[in-house]
């Protein structure tokens, strides 16, 4: 279980590092991206370990990878244009 935890943490940080290298202009501050990837990896490993039991460590690490990438995808901002300003409400 310790190996799964360390592996999930490494996967989460690795996915965060890769996202920062590939999409630096579309992500917020790196101080937010790193912990989000790490937390996603740990949470994904926990959920997968709970669902499958501890008999399949590669599946647990796969779950860590999927959830870390999913959480980091929520941080990605749209490319190009800025969001349009909302029209003022009539009084």
């Amino acid at each position: 279980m310790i190996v799964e935890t360390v592996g999930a943490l490494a996967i989460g940080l690795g996915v965060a590092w890769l996202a920062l290298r590939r999409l630096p202009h579309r992500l917020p501050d790196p101080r937010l991206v790193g912990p989000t990837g790490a937390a996603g990896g740990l949470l994904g490993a926990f959920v997968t370990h709970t669902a499958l039991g501890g008999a399949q460590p590669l599946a647990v690490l796969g779950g860590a990878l999927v959830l870390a990438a999913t959480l980091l995808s929520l941080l990605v901002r749209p490319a190009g244009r800025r969001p349009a300003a909302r029209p003022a409400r009539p009084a």
Side-chain angles (χ1 to χ4, degrees), residues 15-58:
V15 171
W17 177 80
L18 185 64
L20 282 171
R21 297 273 297 169
R22 301 276 299 171
L23 302 167
H25 57 284
R26 294 183 61 190
L27 287 169
D29 190 16
R31 291 178 293 180
L32 177 65
V33 175
T36 301
L42 291 173
L43 185 63
F46 173 72
V47 168
T48 310
H49 182 85
T50 302
L52 299 178
Q56 300 173 344
L58 291 178

PDB file of all heavy atoms in Angstrom, residues 15-58:
ATOM      1  N   VAL A  15       2.018  14.172 -13.910  1.00  0.00           N
ATOM      2  CA  VAL A  15       0.985  14.698 -14.810  1.00  0.00           C
ATOM      3  C   VAL A  15       0.919  16.217 -14.690  1.00  0.00           C
ATOM      4  O   VAL A  15       0.763  16.929 -15.689  1.00  0.00           O
ATOM      5  CB  VAL A  15      -0.381  14.043 -14.502  1.00  0.00           C
ATOM      6  CG1 VAL A  15      -1.504  14.716 -15.254  1.00  0.00           C
ATOM      7  CG2 VAL A  15      -0.349  12.565 -14.845  1.00  0.00           C
ATOM      8  N   ALA A  16       1.056  16.742 -13.478  1.00  0.00           N
ATOM      9  CA  ALA A  16       1.047  18.191 -13.288  1.00  0.00           C
ATOM     10  C   ALA A  16       2.250  18.839 -13.965  1.00  0.00           C
ATOM     11  O   ALA A  16       2.124  19.884 -14.618  1.00  0.00           O
ATOM     12  CB  ALA A  16       1.041  18.521 -11.799  1.00  0.00           C
ATOM     13  N   TRP A  17       3.418  18.226 -13.845  1.00  0.00           N
ATOM     14  CA  TRP A  17       4.621  18.756 -14.497  1.00  0.00           C
ATOM     15  C   TRP A  17       4.457  18.746 -16.008  1.00  0.00           C
ATOM     16  O   TRP A  17       4.804  19.719 -16.682  1.00  0.00           O
ATOM     17  CB  TRP A  17       5.824  17.935 -14.068  1.00  0.00           C
ATOM     18  CG  TRP A  17       7.084  18.348 -14.740  1.00  0.00           C
ATOM     19  CD1 TRP A  17       7.884  19.414 -14.409  1.00  0.00           C
ATOM     20  CD2 TRP A  17       7.690  17.748 -15.885  1.00  0.00           C
ATOM     21  NE1 TRP A  17       8.948  19.479 -15.272  1.00  0.00           N
ATOM     22  CE2 TRP A  17       8.859  18.463 -16.189  1.00  0.00           C
ATOM     23  CE3 TRP A  17       7.359  16.647 -16.668  1.00  0.00           C
ATOM     24  CZ2 TRP A  17       9.683  18.126 -17.245  1.00  0.00           C
ATOM     25  CZ3 TRP A  17       8.190  16.314 -17.716  1.00  0.00           C
ATOM     26  CH2 TRP A  17       9.332  17.051 -17.997  1.00  0.00           C
ATOM     27  N   LEU A  18       3.924  17.640 -16.528  1.00  0.00           N
ATOM     28  CA  LEU A  18       3.709  17.540 -17.968  1.00  0.00           C
ATOM     29  C   LEU A  18       2.705  18.593 -18.452  1.00  0.00           C
ATOM     30  O   LEU A  18       2.904  19.215 -19.498  1.00  0.00           O
ATOM     31  CB  LEU A  18       3.226  16.141 -18.328  1.00  0.00           C
ATOM     32  CG  LEU A  18       3.068  15.831 -19.805  1.00  0.00           C
ATOM     33  CD1 LEU A  18       4.426  15.900 -20.499  1.00  0.00           C
ATOM     34  CD2 LEU A  18       2.457  14.458 -19.976  1.00  0.00           C
ATOM     35  N   ALA A  19       1.653  18.808 -17.684  1.00  0.00           N
ATOM     36  CA  ALA A  19       0.663  19.827 -18.062  1.00  0.00           C
ATOM     37  C   ALA A  19       1.291  21.222 -18.047  1.00  0.00           C
ATOM     38  O   ALA A  19       1.012  22.037 -18.933  1.00  0.00           O
ATOM     39  CB  ALA A  19      -0.528  19.776 -17.107  1.00  0.00           C
ATOM     40  N   LEU A  20       2.128  21.497 -17.068  1.00  0.00           N
ATOM     41  CA  LEU A  20       2.787  22.806 -17.014  1.00  0.00           C
ATOM     42  C   LEU A  20       3.780  22.994 -18.159  1.00  0.00           C
ATOM     43  O   LEU A  20       3.974  24.109 -18.631  1.00  0.00           O
ATOM     44  CB  LEU A  20       3.508  22.983 -15.678  1.00  0.00           C
ATOM     45  CG  LEU A  20       2.606  23.333 -14.506  1.00  0.00           C
ATOM     46  CD1 LEU A  20       3.390  23.265 -13.206  1.00  0.00           C
ATOM     47  CD2 LEU A  20       1.992  24.700 -14.694  1.00  0.00           C
ATOM     48  N   ARG A  21       4.401  21.911 -18.601  1.00  0.00           N
ATOM     49  CA  ARG A  21       5.332  22.022 -19.728  1.00  0.00           C
ATOM     50  C   ARG A  21       4.610  22.204 -21.056  1.00  0.00           C
ATOM     51  O   ARG A  21       5.078  22.909 -21.925  1.00  0.00           O
ATOM     52  CB  ARG A  21       6.203  20.752 -19.816  1.00  0.00           C
ATOM     53  CG  ARG A  21       7.086  20.520 -18.633  1.00  0.00           C
ATOM     54  CD  ARG A  21       8.381  21.210 -18.737  1.00  0.00           C
ATOM     55  NE  ARG A  21       9.106  20.682 -19.882  1.00  0.00           N
ATOM     56  CZ  ARG A  21      10.186  21.234 -20.361  1.00  0.00           C
ATOM     57  NH1 ARG A  21      10.678  22.297 -19.790  1.00  0.00           N
ATOM     58  NH2 ARG A  21      10.802  20.724 -21.409  1.00  0.00           N
ATOM     59  N   ARG A  22       3.449  21.551 -21.211  1.00  0.00           N
ATOM     60  CA  ARG A  22       2.743  21.580 -22.485  1.00  0.00           C
ATOM     61  C   ARG A  22       1.772  22.756 -22.611  1.00  0.00           C
ATOM     62  O   ARG A  22       1.557  23.253 -23.703  1.00  0.00           O
ATOM     63  CB  ARG A  22       1.951  20.279 -22.681  1.00  0.00           C
ATOM     64  CG  ARG A  22       2.763  19.021 -22.656  1.00  0.00           C
ATOM     65  CD  ARG A  22       3.382  18.703 -23.944  1.00  0.00           C
ATOM     66  NE  ARG A  22       2.332  18.514 -24.942  1.00  0.00           N
ATOM     67  CZ  ARG A  22       2.570  18.379 -26.216  1.00  0.00           C
ATOM     68  NH1 ARG A  22       3.792  18.389 -26.659  1.00  0.00           N
ATOM     69  NH2 ARG A  22       1.590  18.228 -27.064  1.00  0.00           N
ATOM     70  N   LEU A  23       1.161  23.177 -21.501  1.00  0.00           N
ATOM     71  CA  LEU A  23       0.122  24.215 -21.543  1.00  0.00           C
ATOM     72  C   LEU A  23       0.361  25.311 -20.510  1.00  0.00           C
ATOM     73  O   LEU A  23      -0.546  25.653 -19.744  1.00  0.00           O
ATOM     74  CB  LEU A  23      -1.254  23.584 -21.271  1.00  0.00           C
ATOM     75  CG  LEU A  23      -1.699  22.472 -22.203  1.00  0.00           C
ATOM     76  CD1 LEU A  23      -2.892  21.760 -21.628  1.00  0.00           C
ATOM     77  CD2 LEU A  23      -2.010  23.031 -23.568  1.00  0.00           C
ATOM     78  N   PRO A  24       1.528  25.943 -20.471  1.00  0.00           N
ATOM     79  CA  PRO A  24       1.760  26.932 -19.412  1.00  0.00           C
ATOM     80  C   PRO A  24       0.879  28.173 -19.544  1.00  0.00           C
ATOM     81  O   PRO A  24       0.532  28.797 -18.542  1.00  0.00           O
ATOM     82  CB  PRO A  24       3.239  27.288 -19.581  1.00  0.00           C
ATOM     83  CG  PRO A  24       3.528  27.002 -21.007  1.00  0.00           C
ATOM     84  CD  PRO A  24       2.665  25.824 -21.373  1.00  0.00           C
ATOM     85  N   HIS A  25       0.497  28.527 -20.760  1.00  0.00           N
ATOM     86  CA  HIS A  25      -0.302  29.732 -20.981  1.00  0.00           C
ATOM     87  C   HIS A  25      -1.782  29.508 -20.672  1.00  0.00           C
ATOM     88  O   HIS A  25      -2.532  30.470 -20.560  1.00  0.00           O
ATOM     89  CB  HIS A  25      -0.130  30.196 -22.432  1.00  0.00           C
ATOM     90  CG  HIS A  25      -0.503  29.148 -23.425  1.00  0.00           C
ATOM     91  ND1 HIS A  25       0.319  28.080 -23.704  1.00  0.00           N
ATOM     92  CD2 HIS A  25      -1.605  28.997 -24.186  1.00  0.00           C
ATOM     93  CE1 HIS A  25      -0.273  27.310 -24.609  1.00  0.00           C
ATOM     94  NE2 HIS A  25      -1.437  27.836 -24.914  1.00  0.00           N
ATOM     95  N   ARG A  26      -2.200  28.264 -20.530  1.00  0.00           N
ATOM     96  CA  ARG A  26      -3.617  27.981 -20.298  1.00  0.00           C
ATOM     97  C   ARG A  26      -3.905  27.503 -18.883  1.00  0.00           C
ATOM     98  O   ARG A  26      -5.045  27.193 -18.561  1.00  0.00           O
ATOM     99  CB  ARG A  26      -4.094  26.938 -21.298  1.00  0.00           C
ATOM    100  CG  ARG A  26      -4.049  27.500 -22.716  1.00  0.00           C
ATOM    101  CD  ARG A  26      -4.559  26.544 -23.719  1.00  0.00           C
ATOM    102  NE  ARG A  26      -5.956  26.204 -23.450  1.00  0.00           N
ATOM    103  CZ  ARG A  26      -6.588  25.233 -24.087  1.00  0.00           C
ATOM    104  NH1 ARG A  26      -5.978  24.529 -25.000  1.00  0.00           N
ATOM    105  NH2 ARG A  26      -7.838  24.969 -23.797  1.00  0.00           N
ATOM    106  N   LEU A  27      -2.888  27.456 -18.031  1.00  0.00           N
ATOM    107  CA  LEU A  27      -3.068  26.994 -16.665  1.00  0.00           C
ATOM    108  C   LEU A  27      -2.837  28.141 -15.687  1.00  0.00           C
ATOM    109  O   LEU A  27      -2.093  29.069 -15.977  1.00  0.00           O
ATOM    110  CB  LEU A  27      -2.090  25.860 -16.354  1.00  0.00           C
ATOM    111  CG  LEU A  27      -2.409  24.529 -17.020  1.00  0.00           C
ATOM    112  CD1 LEU A  27      -1.241  23.567 -16.853  1.00  0.00           C
ATOM    113  CD2 LEU A  27      -3.663  23.925 -16.449  1.00  0.00           C
ATOM    114  N   PRO A  28      -3.452  28.058 -14.514  1.00  0.00           N
ATOM    115  CA  PRO A  28      -3.206  29.091 -13.497  1.00  0.00           C
ATOM    116  C   PRO A  28      -1.811  28.918 -12.888  1.00  0.00           C
ATOM    117  O   PRO A  28      -0.978  28.169 -13.396  1.00  0.00           O
ATOM    118  CB  PRO A  28      -4.313  28.842 -12.468  1.00  0.00           C
ATOM    119  CG  PRO A  28      -4.683  27.433 -12.635  1.00  0.00           C
ATOM    120  CD  PRO A  28      -4.454  27.099 -14.081  1.00  0.00           C
ATOM    121  N   ASP A  29      -1.581  29.564 -11.788  1.00  0.00           N
ATOM    122  CA  ASP A  29      -0.297  29.563 -11.096  1.00  0.00           C
ATOM    123  C   ASP A  29       0.192  28.134 -10.833  1.00  0.00           C
ATOM    124  O   ASP A  29      -0.581  27.283 -10.388  1.00  0.00           O
ATOM    125  CB  ASP A  29      -0.483  30.308  -9.772  1.00  0.00           C
ATOM    126  CG  ASP A  29       0.819  30.587  -9.077  1.00  0.00           C
ATOM    127  OD1 ASP A  29       1.874  30.487  -9.723  1.00  0.00           O
ATOM    128  OD2 ASP A  29       0.769  30.925  -7.876  1.00  0.00           O
ATOM    129  N   PRO A  30       1.473  27.846 -11.088  1.00  0.00           N
ATOM    130  CA  PRO A  30       1.999  26.498 -10.827  1.00  0.00           C
ATOM    131  C   PRO A  30       1.879  26.056  -9.368  1.00  0.00           C
ATOM    132  O   PRO A  30       1.863  24.866  -9.081  1.00  0.00           O
ATOM    133  CB  PRO A  30       3.470  26.599 -11.227  1.00  0.00           C
ATOM    134  CG  PRO A  30       3.537  27.728 -12.178  1.00  0.00           C
ATOM    135  CD  PRO A  30       2.454  28.691 -11.768  1.00  0.00           C
ATOM    136  N   ARG A  31       1.771  27.009  -8.459  1.00  0.00           N
ATOM    137  CA  ARG A  31       1.579  26.638  -7.056  1.00  0.00           C
ATOM    138  C   ARG A  31       0.216  26.005  -6.826  1.00  0.00           C
ATOM    139  O   ARG A  31      -0.010  25.380  -5.791  1.00  0.00           O
ATOM    140  CB  ARG A  31       1.740  27.854  -6.156  1.00  0.00           C
ATOM    141  CG  ARG A  31       3.172  28.356  -6.120  1.00  0.00           C
ATOM    142  CD  ARG A  31       3.286  29.569  -5.263  1.00  0.00           C
ATOM    143  NE  ARG A  31       2.556  30.659  -5.913  1.00  0.00           N
ATOM    144  CZ  ARG A  31       2.442  31.879  -5.425  1.00  0.00           C
ATOM    145  NH1 ARG A  31       2.990  32.171  -4.276  1.00  0.00           N
ATOM    146  NH2 ARG A  31       1.800  32.799  -6.087  1.00  0.00           N
ATOM    147  N   LEU A  32      -0.708  26.145  -7.762  1.00  0.00           N
ATOM    148  CA  LEU A  32      -2.007  25.485  -7.681  1.00  0.00           C
ATOM    149  C   LEU A  32      -2.014  24.189  -8.477  1.00  0.00           C
ATOM    150  O   LEU A  32      -2.652  23.213  -8.085  1.00  0.00           O
ATOM    151  CB  LEU A  32      -3.101  26.424  -8.209  1.00  0.00           C
ATOM    152  CG  LEU A  32      -4.519  25.871  -8.264  1.00  0.00           C
ATOM    153  CD1 LEU A  32      -5.027  25.595  -6.859  1.00  0.00           C
ATOM    154  CD2 LEU A  32      -5.431  26.835  -8.971  1.00  0.00           C
ATOM    155  N   VAL A  33      -1.294  24.155  -9.578  1.00  0.00           N
ATOM    156  CA  VAL A  33      -1.316  22.998 -10.469  1.00  0.00           C
ATOM    157  C   VAL A  33      -0.642  21.791  -9.818  1.00  0.00           C
ATOM    158  O   VAL A  33      -1.158  20.668  -9.889  1.00  0.00           O
ATOM    159  CB  VAL A  33      -0.647  23.347 -11.819  1.00  0.00           C
ATOM    160  CG1 VAL A  33      -0.555  22.129 -12.711  1.00  0.00           C
ATOM    161  CG2 VAL A  33      -1.424  24.452 -12.516  1.00  0.00           C
ATOM    162  N   GLY A  34       0.493  21.982  -9.184  1.00  0.00           N
ATOM    163  CA  GLY A  34       1.217  20.873  -8.551  1.00  0.00           C
ATOM    164  C   GLY A  34       0.405  20.154  -7.486  1.00  0.00           C
ATOM    165  O   GLY A  34       0.219  18.931  -7.556  1.00  0.00           O
ATOM    166  N   PRO A  35      -0.097  20.868  -6.491  1.00  0.00           N
ATOM    167  CA  PRO A  35      -0.902  20.194  -5.471  1.00  0.00           C
ATOM    168  C   PRO A  35      -2.197  19.588  -6.014  1.00  0.00           C
ATOM    169  O   PRO A  35      -2.658  18.567  -5.505  1.00  0.00           O
ATOM    170  CB  PRO A  35      -1.218  21.309  -4.466  1.00  0.00           C
ATOM    171  CG  PRO A  35      -0.128  22.281  -4.639  1.00  0.00           C
ATOM    172  CD  PRO A  35       0.236  22.238  -6.094  1.00  0.00           C
ATOM    173  N   THR A  36      -2.759  20.189  -7.063  1.00  0.00           N
ATOM    174  CA  THR A  36      -3.970  19.610  -7.650  1.00  0.00           C
ATOM    175  C   THR A  36      -3.655  18.263  -8.291  1.00  0.00           C
ATOM    176  O   THR A  36      -4.411  17.301  -8.142  1.00  0.00           O
ATOM    177  CB  THR A  36      -4.576  20.562  -8.690  1.00  0.00           C
ATOM    178  OG1 THR A  36      -4.891  21.799  -8.054  1.00  0.00           O
ATOM    179  CG2 THR A  36      -5.829  19.981  -9.304  1.00  0.00           C
ATOM    180  N   GLY A  37      -2.542  18.176  -8.997  1.00  0.00           N
ATOM    181  CA  GLY A  37      -2.144  16.903  -9.582  1.00  0.00           C
ATOM    182  C   GLY A  37      -1.846  15.855  -8.520  1.00  0.00           C
ATOM    183  O   GLY A  37      -2.260  14.694  -8.645  1.00  0.00           O
ATOM    184  N   ALA A  38      -1.148  16.256  -7.472  1.00  0.00           N
ATOM    185  CA  ALA A  38      -0.826  15.323  -6.394  1.00  0.00           C
ATOM    186  C   ALA A  38      -2.094  14.835  -5.692  1.00  0.00           C
ATOM    187  O   ALA A  38      -2.252  13.634  -5.433  1.00  0.00           O
ATOM    188  CB  ALA A  38       0.113  15.988  -5.394  1.00  0.00           C
ATOM    189  N   ALA A  39      -2.999  15.758  -5.401  1.00  0.00           N
ATOM    190  CA  ALA A  39      -4.250  15.375  -4.743  1.00  0.00           C
ATOM    191  C   ALA A  39      -5.090  14.482  -5.647  1.00  0.00           C
ATOM    192  O   ALA A  39      -5.722  13.525  -5.180  1.00  0.00           O
ATOM    193  CB  ALA A  39      -5.038  16.624  -4.351  1.00  0.00           C
ATOM    194  N   GLY A  40      -5.103  14.775  -6.935  1.00  0.00           N
ATOM    195  CA  GLY A  40      -5.839  13.928  -7.874  1.00  0.00           C
ATOM    196  C   GLY A  40      -5.276  12.525  -7.935  1.00  0.00           C
ATOM    197  O   GLY A  40      -6.027  11.542  -7.983  1.00  0.00           O
ATOM    198  N   GLY A  41      -3.958  12.418  -7.923  1.00  0.00           N
ATOM    199  CA  GLY A  41      -3.339  11.101  -7.927  1.00  0.00           C
ATOM    200  C   GLY A  41      -3.666  10.309  -6.675  1.00  0.00           C
ATOM    201  O   GLY A  41      -4.022   9.123  -6.741  1.00  0.00           O
ATOM    202  N   LEU A  42      -3.564  10.950  -5.531  1.00  0.00           N
ATOM    203  CA  LEU A  42      -3.861  10.262  -4.278  1.00  0.00           C
ATOM    204  C   LEU A  42      -5.331   9.889  -4.167  1.00  0.00           C
ATOM    205  O   LEU A  42      -5.679   8.780  -3.735  1.00  0.00           O
ATOM    206  CB  LEU A  42      -3.433  11.122  -3.094  1.00  0.00           C
ATOM    207  CG  LEU A  42      -1.934  11.287  -2.912  1.00  0.00           C
ATOM    208  CD1 LEU A  42      -1.641  12.302  -1.806  1.00  0.00           C
ATOM    209  CD2 LEU A  42      -1.281   9.956  -2.605  1.00  0.00           C
ATOM    210  N   LEU A  43      -6.200  10.799  -4.573  1.00  0.00           N
ATOM    211  CA  LEU A  43      -7.636  10.511  -4.510  1.00  0.00           C
ATOM    212  C   LEU A  43      -8.019   9.408  -5.490  1.00  0.00           C
ATOM    213  O   LEU A  43      -8.826   8.531  -5.171  1.00  0.00           O
ATOM    214  CB  LEU A  43      -8.441  11.786  -4.786  1.00  0.00           C
ATOM    215  CG  LEU A  43      -9.950  11.672  -4.636  1.00  0.00           C
ATOM    216  CD1 LEU A  43     -10.310  11.328  -3.195  1.00  0.00           C
ATOM    217  CD2 LEU A  43     -10.618  12.957  -5.056  1.00  0.00           C
ATOM    218  N   GLY A  44      -7.449   9.445  -6.685  1.00  0.00           N
ATOM    219  CA  GLY A  44      -7.728   8.393  -7.655  1.00  0.00           C
ATOM    220  C   GLY A  44      -7.258   7.035  -7.170  1.00  0.00           C
ATOM    221  O   GLY A  44      -7.948   6.026  -7.359  1.00  0.00           O
ATOM    222  N   ALA A  45      -6.089   6.986  -6.545  1.00  0.00           N
ATOM    223  CA  ALA A  45      -5.599   5.721  -5.997  1.00  0.00           C
ATOM    224  C   ALA A  45      -6.491   5.235  -4.866  1.00  0.00           C
ATOM    225  O   ALA A  45      -6.793   4.042  -4.771  1.00  0.00           O
ATOM    226  CB  ALA A  45      -4.170   5.889  -5.505  1.00  0.00           C
ATOM    227  N   PHE A  46      -6.941   6.150  -4.029  1.00  0.00           N
ATOM    228  CA  PHE A  46      -7.811   5.770  -2.917  1.00  0.00           C
ATOM    229  C   PHE A  46      -9.132   5.199  -3.417  1.00  0.00           C
ATOM    230  O   PHE A  46      -9.585   4.145  -2.954  1.00  0.00           O
ATOM    231  CB  PHE A  46      -8.060   6.980  -2.005  1.00  0.00           C
ATOM    232  CG  PHE A  46      -9.081   6.716  -0.940  1.00  0.00           C
ATOM    233  CD1 PHE A  46      -8.781   5.894   0.132  1.00  0.00           C
ATOM    234  CD2 PHE A  46     -10.337   7.279  -1.010  1.00  0.00           C
ATOM    235  CE1 PHE A  46      -9.721   5.640   1.116  1.00  0.00           C
ATOM    236  CE2 PHE A  46     -11.289   7.035  -0.043  1.00  0.00           C
ATOM    237  CZ  PHE A  46     -10.975   6.216   1.030  1.00  0.00           C
ATOM    238  N   VAL A  47      -9.744   5.886  -4.364  1.00  0.00           N
ATOM    239  CA  VAL A  47     -11.039   5.430  -4.878  1.00  0.00           C
ATOM    240  C   VAL A  47     -10.892   4.084  -5.587  1.00  0.00           C
ATOM    241  O   VAL A  47     -11.690   3.166  -5.382  1.00  0.00           O
ATOM    242  CB  VAL A  47     -11.642   6.497  -5.828  1.00  0.00           C
ATOM    243  CG1 VAL A  47     -12.823   5.950  -6.593  1.00  0.00           C
ATOM    244  CG2 VAL A  47     -12.041   7.730  -5.047  1.00  0.00           C
ATOM    245  N   THR A  48      -9.854   3.943  -6.405  1.00  0.00           N
ATOM    246  CA  THR A  48      -9.658   2.691  -7.129  1.00  0.00           C
ATOM    247  C   THR A  48      -9.296   1.555  -6.179  1.00  0.00           C
ATOM    248  O   THR A  48      -9.790   0.430  -6.333  1.00  0.00           O
ATOM    249  CB  THR A  48      -8.554   2.857  -8.192  1.00  0.00           C
ATOM    250  OG1 THR A  48      -8.828   4.013  -8.968  1.00  0.00           O
ATOM    251  CG2 THR A  48      -8.495   1.660  -9.102  1.00  0.00           C
ATOM    252  N   HIS A  49      -8.470   1.836  -5.190  1.00  0.00           N
ATOM    253  CA  HIS A  49      -8.109   0.820  -4.203  1.00  0.00           C
ATOM    254  C   HIS A  49      -9.340   0.376  -3.419  1.00  0.00           C
ATOM    255  O   HIS A  49      -9.511  -0.814  -3.136  1.00  0.00           O
ATOM    256  CB  HIS A  49      -7.041   1.368  -3.254  1.00  0.00           C
ATOM    257  CG  HIS A  49      -6.565   0.383  -2.237  1.00  0.00           C
ATOM    258  ND1 HIS A  49      -5.571  -0.514  -2.503  1.00  0.00           N
ATOM    259  CD2 HIS A  49      -6.959   0.146  -0.971  1.00  0.00           C
ATOM    260  CE1 HIS A  49      -5.368  -1.270  -1.435  1.00  0.00           C
ATOM    261  NE2 HIS A  49      -6.204  -0.876  -0.486  1.00  0.00           N
ATOM    262  N   THR A  50     -10.204   1.319  -3.080  1.00  0.00           N
ATOM    263  CA  THR A  50     -11.413   0.983  -2.342  1.00  0.00           C
ATOM    264  C   THR A  50     -12.371   0.166  -3.199  1.00  0.00           C
ATOM    265  O   THR A  50     -12.986  -0.788  -2.724  1.00  0.00           O
ATOM    266  CB  THR A  50     -12.111   2.267  -1.855  1.00  0.00           C
ATOM    267  OG1 THR A  50     -11.191   3.006  -1.045  1.00  0.00           O
ATOM    268  CG2 THR A  50     -13.349   1.954  -1.051  1.00  0.00           C
ATOM    269  N   ALA A  51     -12.497   0.514  -4.459  1.00  0.00           N
ATOM    270  CA  ALA A  51     -13.440  -0.183  -5.332  1.00  0.00           C
ATOM    271  C   ALA A  51     -12.961  -1.580  -5.709  1.00  0.00           C
ATOM    272  O   ALA A  51     -13.754  -2.517  -5.761  1.00  0.00           O
ATOM    273  CB  ALA A  51     -13.674   0.637  -6.593  1.00  0.00           C
ATOM    274  N   LEU A  52     -11.667  -1.740  -5.974  1.00  0.00           N
ATOM    275  CA  LEU A  52     -11.155  -3.015  -6.459  1.00  0.00           C
ATOM    276  C   LEU A  52     -10.481  -3.863  -5.393  1.00  0.00           C
ATOM    277  O   LEU A  52     -10.179  -5.023  -5.638  1.00  0.00           O
ATOM    278  CB  LEU A  52     -10.144  -2.771  -7.588  1.00  0.00           C
ATOM    279  CG  LEU A  52     -10.646  -2.062  -8.828  1.00  0.00           C
ATOM    280  CD1 LEU A  52      -9.511  -1.866  -9.811  1.00  0.00           C
ATOM    281  CD2 LEU A  52     -11.778  -2.839  -9.463  1.00  0.00           C
ATOM    282  N   GLY A  53     -10.223  -3.297  -4.253  1.00  0.00           N
ATOM    283  CA  GLY A  53      -9.428  -3.997  -3.263  1.00  0.00           C
ATOM    284  C   GLY A  53      -7.958  -3.752  -3.571  1.00  0.00           C
ATOM    285  O   GLY A  53      -7.601  -3.070  -4.515  1.00  0.00           O
ATOM    286  N   GLY A  54      -7.090  -4.339  -2.813  1.00  0.00           N
ATOM    287  CA  GLY A  54      -5.667  -4.080  -2.996  1.00  0.00           C
ATOM    288  C   GLY A  54      -4.959  -5.068  -3.891  1.00  0.00           C
ATOM    289  O   GLY A  54      -3.742  -5.056  -3.978  1.00  0.00           O
ATOM    290  N   ALA A  55      -5.686  -5.941  -4.572  1.00  0.00           N
ATOM    291  CA  ALA A  55      -5.058  -7.017  -5.332  1.00  0.00           C
ATOM    292  C   ALA A  55      -4.500  -6.579  -6.680  1.00  0.00           C
ATOM    293  O   ALA A  55      -3.767  -7.322  -7.299  1.00  0.00           O
ATOM    294  CB  ALA A  55      -6.062  -8.146  -5.543  1.00  0.00           C
ATOM    295  N   GLN A  56      -4.852  -5.402  -7.153  1.00  0.00           N
ATOM    296  CA  GLN A  56      -4.449  -4.973  -8.494  1.00  0.00           C
ATOM    297  C   GLN A  56      -3.745  -3.619  -8.440  1.00  0.00           C
ATOM    298  O   GLN A  56      -4.345  -2.575  -8.695  1.00  0.00           O
ATOM    299  CB  GLN A  56      -5.673  -4.897  -9.394  1.00  0.00           C
ATOM    300  CG  GLN A  56      -6.380  -6.231  -9.514  1.00  0.00           C
ATOM    301  CD  GLN A  56      -7.680  -6.128 -10.265  1.00  0.00           C
ATOM    302  OE1 GLN A  56      -8.203  -5.045 -10.454  1.00  0.00           O
ATOM    303  NE2 GLN A  56      -8.189  -7.262 -10.684  1.00  0.00           N
ATOM    304  N   PRO A  57      -2.451  -3.607  -8.143  1.00  0.00           N
ATOM    305  CA  PRO A  57      -1.746  -2.327  -7.986  1.00  0.00           C
ATOM    306  C   PRO A  57      -1.632  -1.528  -9.281  1.00  0.00           C
ATOM    307  O   PRO A  57      -1.647  -0.300  -9.247  1.00  0.00           O
ATOM    308  CB  PRO A  57      -0.375  -2.719  -7.453  1.00  0.00           C
ATOM    309  CG  PRO A  57      -0.228  -4.160  -7.755  1.00  0.00           C
ATOM    310  CD  PRO A  57      -1.596  -4.745  -7.820  1.00  0.00           C
ATOM    311  N   LEU A  58      -1.549  -2.194 -10.426  1.00  0.00           N
ATOM    312  CA  LEU A  58      -1.475  -1.445 -11.683  1.00  0.00           C
ATOM    313  C   LEU A  58      -2.798  -0.738 -11.985  1.00  0.00           C
ATOM    314  O   LEU A  58      -2.807   0.377 -12.511  1.00  0.00           O
ATOM    315  CB  LEU A  58      -1.082  -2.364 -12.839  1.00  0.00           C
ATOM    316  CG  LEU A  58       0.352  -2.882 -12.801  1.00  0.00           C
ATOM    317  CD1 LEU A  58       0.611  -3.813 -13.972  1.00  0.00           C
ATOM    318  CD2 LEU A  58       1.336  -1.744 -12.795  1.00  0.00           C
TER     319      LEU A  58
END
